[in-house]
Structure formats: C-alpha cells, structure tokens
C-alpha cells in the first residue's frame, strides 16, 4: 500500500509533516491550497479514516499510525477553531 507524507502550515506558522498510509489524502487536499481550520479538520478526518479502512481491508486491522496522526491534527487544530479567519495550508505532498 503506497504511503505518503504531506506538509501543512498551521495558522501560527508552524509546519508539520503528516503521515497517511494511503494516497487518498490527495483526493481531499490540494497542494498549495489553504483551508479554514474546521474544513481542514473535516477533510483530514475523512481522508485518514478512509486510509485506515483501506489498511484494515488489506491487512485485517486498522492503521494505528493514521489514527494517531488524525488525533494529532485534531489536537493541534482545536485551539484555532474559534478564529474564523485561521487557515491551514497544505504545502506539499512527499513520497
């Protein structure tokens, strides 16, 4: 199963490299695009849930790394949810 990493910039300027066990993230995020925090969290939740389900379909168990990444994304994004102007930028996809 092809895994990938993607780099995001949070509203405070911090960059983070995130992990997905599947390329499905490319269906939910566009390289160079920025998203309101709540939208980014929703897109990440959908993408990483599908990615984990694909791992489960292939190997018989969900992907704990995808679940952990989603938890980190949600925790990092939560403080910015009150700011309707805050955005998360998807910088790039890495192999």
């Amino acid at each position: 199963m092809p895994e990938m990493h993607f780099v995001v910039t949070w509203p405070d300027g911090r960059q983070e490299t995130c992990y997905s066990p599947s390329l499905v993230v490319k269906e939910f995020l566009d390289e160079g695009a920025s998203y309101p925090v709540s939208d980014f969290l929703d897109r990440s939740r959908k993408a990483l849930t599908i990615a984990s389900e694909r791992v489960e379909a292939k190997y018989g168990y969900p992907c704990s790394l995808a679940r952990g990444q989603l938890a980190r994304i949600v925790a990092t994004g939560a403080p910015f949810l009150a700011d309707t102007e805050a955005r998360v930028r998807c910088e790039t996809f890495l192999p």
Side-chain angles (χ1 to χ4, degrees):
M1 182 162 272
E3 62 183 20
M4 66 171 293
H5 292 85
F6 54 104
V7 179
V8 300
T9 300
W10 291 99
D12 62 3
R14 263 183 317 126
Q15 284 198 337
E16 180 178 359
T17 301
C18 302
Y19 170 80
S20 173
S22 166
L23 302 179
V24 72
V25 170
K26 290 183 176 185
E27 296 174 22
F28 290 88
L29 300 174
D30 293 316
E31 197 170 53
S34 67
Y35 304 91
V37 174
S38 61
D39 185 32
F40 177 76
L41 296 181
D42 288 342
R43 289 169 181 267
S44 297
R45 187 174 290 109
K46 290 174 185 171
L48 291 171
T49 297
I50 291 169
S52 181
E53 289 170 350
R54 288 181 178 179
V55 169
E56 186 171 17
K58 186 169 184 172
Y59 298 107
Y61 50 87
C63 181
S64 61
L65 292 175
R67 288 179 170 185
Q69 181 63 71
L70 178 57
R72 284 188 300 282
I73 287 172
V74 170
T76 303
F80 302 109
L81 285 171
D83 181 357
T84 59
E85 300 299 314
R87 299 181 74 82
V88 180
R89 180 176 166 85
C90 178
E91 299 294 343
T92 191
F93 297 122
L94 304 171

